[in-house]
C-alpha cells in the first residue's frame, strides 16, 4: 500500500490551507472530505483579510483550486475509522478503500445546533440565520436581532450584539423560573428583551416573524442561535487524543495532539470559530508536519 506523507481529514479553510502548504513543501498528501464544510454556509464574509466580501463556497473553491494546482490530491469520501498502523503511522478506512499515512491532520470542524422550529433549514444559506456575531455582527448594524438559546449562552451573545444594535430580543429555551435573576436584570437594563421560546416562525417580505410561547409576535431581520454545537473530534479521541470538556482537541504549540503524528486545526481545536484562526492553525501544523517527516530529497 502506498504510504502518504500526510492524510488531511476535512476540506474547509483549515484543511485546504494545510494542503496548500504541504503541497508546496512537495509532500505527498491526500485530502478526504465529504462536502459538509461549515464554511460553505457563509453567504459572505466581510472580516476575512484581503476581501471586502467573499462567500464561503467561493473561498473554498479558490482554496481547492490552489491546492490542486500544487499537486495536492482531493478525494470526496468519508473517513469512518482511523487507527495506528502496526508498522508506524496511521491507517484510515473510508467508504471507497483504505489509505496509510505517516501523519494525519484532523480539520473536521463542528456542526452547529439549529433551532427546532419549522423553516430553519433554509436560514443559513439565505443569510438570515447566522451563527457567528464576530463574523457578521457589523453587518447587522441597527437591525432587529433575535438570539435563541438558554439564557446563559443567549444572554452572552446578546450582550455582544448590543454593540451593533439597540433592537435585541432573547428567545430563551429555559423554563420560566430560570429566566429570573441577575443575568435577566442585566439584560433588561441593557435594553435587551427576554421572551419565551418561539412556537412558530414564518418568513415574509424579507423579515422573520416569530410567535413566542406567550403568544407575542416579533418581527426580526436576523436570528442567531446560541444552542451549542457538536465538535467532530471522534476520529482523534478514539485514538486516544485528549480533548477539552466541550470536545475540542488539545494540541501543543505545533498543533499536535498528545498522539505523536496526529495534528488538528480549525474549529475542532478552537472555541474562536474564525476563518483566519483555522488558517493560522493550518500553517503552523503543516510546517511542523513537514519538519517531522523524513527529509524530502528529490
Amino acid at each position: 500500500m502506498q504510504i502518504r506523507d500526510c492524510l488531511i481529514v476535512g476540506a474547509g479553510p483549515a484543511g485546504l490551507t494545510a494542503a496548500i502548504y504541504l503541497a508546496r513543501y512537495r509532500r505527498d498528501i491526500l485530502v478526504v472530505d465529504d462536502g459538509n464544510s461549515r464554511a460553505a454556509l457563509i453567504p459572505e464574509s466581510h472580516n476575512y483579510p484581503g476581501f471586502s466580501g467573499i462567500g464561503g463556497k467561493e473561498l473554498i473553491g479558490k482554496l481547492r483550486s490552489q491546492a490542486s494546482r500544487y499537486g495536492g490530491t482531493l478525494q470526496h469520501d468519508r473517513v469512518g475509522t482511523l487507527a495506528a498502523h502496526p508498522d508506524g503511522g496511521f491507517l484510515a478506512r473510508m467508504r471507497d478503500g483504505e489509505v496509510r499515512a505517516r501523519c494525519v491532520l484532523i480539520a473536521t470542524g463542528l456542526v452547529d445546533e439549529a433551532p427546532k422550529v419549522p423553516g430553519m433549514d433554509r436560514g443559513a444559506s439565505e443569510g438570515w440565520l447566522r451563527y457567528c456575531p464576530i463574523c457578521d455582527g457589523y453587518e447587522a448594524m441597527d437591525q432587529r436581532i433575535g438570539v435563541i438559546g438558554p439564557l446563559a449562552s443567549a444572554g452572552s451573545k446578546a450582550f455582544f450584539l448590543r454593540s451593533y444594535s439597540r433592537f435585541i430580543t432573547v428567545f430563551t429555551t429555559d423554563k420560566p423560573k430560570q429566566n429570573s435573576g441577575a443575568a435577566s436584570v442585566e439584560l433588561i437594563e441593557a435594553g435587551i428583551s427576554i421572551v419565551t421560546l418561539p412556537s412558530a416562525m414564518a418568513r415574509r417580505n424579507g423579515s422573520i416573524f416569530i410567535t413566542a410561547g406567550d403568544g407575542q409576535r416579533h418581527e426580526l431581520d436576523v436570528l442567531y442561535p446560541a444552542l451549542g454545537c457538536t465538535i467532530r473530534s471522534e476520529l482523534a479521541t478514539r485514538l486516544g487524543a485528549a480533548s477539552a470538556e466541550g470536545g475540542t482537541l488539545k494540541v501543543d504549540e505545533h498543533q499536535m495532539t498528545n498522539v505523536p503524528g496526529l495534528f488538528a486545526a480549525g474549529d475542532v481545536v478552537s472555541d474562536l470559530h474564525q476563518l483566519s484562526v483555522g488558517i493560522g492553525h493550518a500553517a503552523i501544523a503543516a510546517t511542523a508536519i513537514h519538519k517531522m517527516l523524513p527529509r524530502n530529497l528529490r
Side-chain angles (χ1 to χ4, degrees):
M1 182 185 295
Q2 177 186 2
I3 304 175
R4 301 273 188 173
D5 285 326
C6 185
L7 167 67
I8 299 173
V9 187
L16 291 170
T17 297
I20 292 166
Y21 270 71
L22 284 165
R24 286 176 57 84
Y25 290 141
R26 302 193 71 188
R27 293 299 184 176
D28 180 13
I29 60 164
L30 173 66
V31 182
V32 176
D33 181 75
D34 62 1
N36 289 312
S37 172
R38 180 178 186 256
L41 299 175
I42 301 172
E44 192 170 59
S45 174
H46 297 274
N47 68 343
Y48 184 78
F51 292 89
S52 58
I54 184 168
K57 289 182 179 178
E58 182 185 359
L59 176 61
I60 289 173
K62 289 179 179 293
L63 291 169
R64 289 180 70 91
S65 296
Q66 191 173 358
S68 297
R69 185 165 68 248
Y70 291 118
T73 303
L74 281 65
Q75 180 174 327
H76 182 79
D77 206 332
R78 184 179 182 86
V79 176
T81 61
L82 183 65
H85 194 279
D87 295 328
F90 302 89
L91 179 68
R93 291 186 172 88
M94 304 171 292
R95 287 189 294 247
D96 295 331
E98 298 179 341
V99 61
R100 187 177 168 194
R102 294 181 176 89
C103 295
V104 173
L105 173 66
I106 301 294
T108 42
L110 58 83
V111 178
D112 291 293
E113 185 66 31
K116 301 297 189 292
V117 178
M120 289 291 177
D121 55 334
R122 302 185 308 275
S125 61
E126 293 178 359
W128 52 265
L129 183 68
R130 306 302 308 136
Y131 288 93
C132 179
I134 296 174
C135 305
D136 45 42
Y138 189 91
E139 279 64 49
M141 192 90 70
D142 296 326
Q143 292 186 0
R144 298 161 297 183
I145 302 171
V147 184
I148 180 172
L151 192 62
S153 55
S156 176
K157 189 168 282 193
F159 274 125
F160 183 89
L161 286 161
R162 184 64 180 80
S163 300
Y164 301 104
S165 177
R166 295 181 292 111
F167 312 107
I168 312 285
T169 303
V170 171
F171 298 90
T172 175
T173 58
D174 295 321
K175 295 178 181 178
K177 66 179 181 180
Q178 295 176 289
N179 295 330
S180 58
S184 297
V185 172
E186 284 187 75
L187 287 165
I188 293 168
E189 287 178 346
I192 299 169
S193 303
I194 305 172
V195 299
T196 53
L197 176 68
S199 59
M201 188 195 73
R203 282 270 294 164
R204 189 170 62 252
N205 298 327
S207 295
I208 310 161
F209 294 90
I210 291 182
T211 303
D214 58 6
Q216 296 182 64
R217 197 162 178 256
H218 301 264
E219 185 176 357
L220 305 171
D221 299 302
V222 62
L223 181 64
Y224 283 86
L227 297 165
C229 61
T230 300
I231 308 295
R232 295 169 169 166
S233 57
E234 61 277 2
L235 284 175
T237 56
R238 287 174 192 157
L239 264 176
S243 63
E245 184 177 349
T248 51
L249 295 172
K250 295 182 178 180
V251 295
D252 64 14
E253 67 272 22
H254 304 295
Q255 299 298 131
M256 188 166 73
T257 70
N258 59 303
V259 178
L262 182 65
F263 293 76
D267 290 347
V268 75
V269 170
S270 173
D271 288 329
L272 185 58
H273 307 149
Q274 297 292 293
L275 296 171
S276 55
V277 172
I279 286 170
H281 288 170
I284 293 168
T287 303
I289 290 168
H290 173 64
K291 288 181 177 179
M292 78 176 296
L293 287 168
R295 284 198 177 111
N296 194 10
L297 304 177
R298 294 175 182 251

